[in-house]
């Protein structure tokens, strides 16, 4: 699928989206260059590990020194493999470019980081007994998708459907398509483990958080557009 939105004025490049894409790719290449044992230790160190993050036996001073809260953010830039990376970045580009043009680069970057961190925290709370790290920008990208829906509720998404030997292009209301995607994320929180180790709760949390942050940003967006 892809997004086609008319623009009445020329806008600059989506700097925040480009920065996020480059940062994720650089981190992925760097991790891939490490020996397997060192890579695993690094992922456990900087990923969001629920049992480590929510360990009440550790004092707050030690948690600050170990930067445990920062792992909610650092985990956003760590991906397990190239399919994990590519899927997240494709969704980011499809929905993020349009959202950034309305929000502005700094506000969009805040949406990605804050939305992703809160999504990881929500996922950690829902999976409190899990010692496997939550990694990837899925929660942050879900926040971007939620923000897109709040910003463009009447938008239509272009969808290419394979019909036998032909490809059919149709335009589908964003609310319908994104709503179906969100329902799937909620469904997979119950049956998802059968399809692999994916923190589906971060998708759900990120989506809701993205909608809320976009709605809270509406006054600032109105002022920015007037300027």
């Amino acid at each position: 699928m892809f997004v086609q939105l008319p623009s009445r004025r020329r806008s600059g490049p989506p700097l925040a989206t480009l920065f996020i894409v480059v940062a994720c790719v650089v981190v992925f290449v760097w991790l891939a260059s490490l020996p397997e044992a060192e890579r695993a230790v690094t992922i456990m160190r900087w990923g969001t590990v629920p049992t480590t993050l929510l360990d009440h036996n550790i004092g707050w001073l030690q948690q600050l020194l170990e930067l445990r809260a920062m792992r909610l953010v650092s985990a956003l830039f760590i991906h397990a493999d190239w399919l994990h990376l590519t899927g997240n970045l494709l969704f980011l580009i499809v929905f993020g470019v349009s959202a950034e043009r309305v929000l502005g680069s700094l506000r969009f970057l805040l949406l990605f980081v804050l939305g992703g961190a809160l999504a990881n925290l929500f996922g950690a709370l829902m999976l409190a007994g899990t010692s496997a790290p939550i990694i990837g920008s899925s929660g942050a990208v879900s926040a971007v998708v939620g923000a897109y829906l709040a910003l463009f509720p009447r938008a239509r998404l272009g969808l290419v459907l394979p019909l036998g030997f032909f490809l059919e292009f149709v335009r589908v209301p964003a609310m319908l398509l994104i709503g179906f995607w969100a329902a799937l994320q909620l469904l997979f929180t119950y049956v998802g483990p059968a399809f692999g180790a994916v923190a589906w709760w971060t998708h759900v949390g990120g989506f809701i958080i993205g909608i809320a942050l976009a709605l809270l940003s509406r006054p600032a967006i109105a002022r920015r557009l007037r300027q």
Side-chain angles (χ1 to χ4, degrees):
M1 73 181 71
F2 62 93
V3 179
Q4 184 181 16
L5 290 173
S7 178
R8 296 182 179 179
R9 62 175 182 171
R10 296 177 64 86
S11 57
L15 297 179
T17 303
L18 293 175
F19 170 78
I20 295 167
V21 170
V22 171
C24 288
V25 171
V26 168
V27 171
F28 179 78
V29 173
W30 171 66
L31 285 174
S33 67
L34 297 178
E36 184 175 352
E38 186 177 351
R39 182 167 62 250
V41 171
T42 303
I43 291 175
M44 288 294 296
R45 166 69 176 172
W46 293 109
T48 300
V49 181
T51 53
T52 300
L53 180 68
L54 305 175
D55 188 356
H56 301 295
N57 297 320
I58 303 299
W60 64 268
L61 180 58
Q62 183 177 346
Q63 292 188 28
L64 287 176
L65 293 175
E66 294 179 357
L67 300 176
R68 295 197 178 193
M70 285 297 298
R71 300 174 194 182
L72 294 170
V73 175
S74 60
L76 301 175
F77 300 92
I78 301 174
H79 291 82
D81 51 49
W82 68 271
L83 283 175
H84 188 201
L85 174 69
T86 303
N88 281 335
L89 294 187
L90 282 176
F91 263 74
L92 173 66
I93 293 171
V94 166
F95 295 99
V97 171
S98 298
E100 182 178 349
R101 285 174 179 166
V102 174
L103 291 168
S105 295
L106 290 179
R107 193 170 286 107
F108 179 79
L109 187 60
L110 179 63
L111 166 70
F112 182 88
V113 173
L114 180 60
L118 292 177
N120 282 346
L121 177 60
F122 182 73
L125 291 172
M126 299 303 295
L127 303 169
T130 304
S131 58
I134 298 174
I135 58 174
S137 56
S138 301
V141 172
S142 297
V144 172
V145 174
Y148 178 91
L149 181 61
L151 295 171
F152 307 104
R154 297 182 179 86
R156 288 178 175 269
L157 302 180
L159 187 65
V160 178
L161 299 176
L163 300 176
F165 294 103
F166 302 97
L167 296 176
E168 181 70 21
F169 175 79
V170 296
R171 292 174 65 84
V172 183
M175 187 169 293
L176 177 63
L177 202 57
I178 294 177
F180 177 72
W181 170 86
L184 283 180
Q185 308 313 302
L186 188 59
L187 174 64
F188 284 157
T189 59
Y190 298 98
V191 300
F195 297 93
V198 178
W200 300 104
W201 280 114
T202 63
H203 300 182
V204 176
F207 180 71
I208 297 173
I209 292 165
I211 292 176
L213 291 177
L215 293 177
L216 291 174
S217 300
R218 279 187 171 180
I221 293 171
R223 290 193 299 269
R224 178 174 177 272
L225 293 179
R226 283 197 298 268
Q227 294 172 0

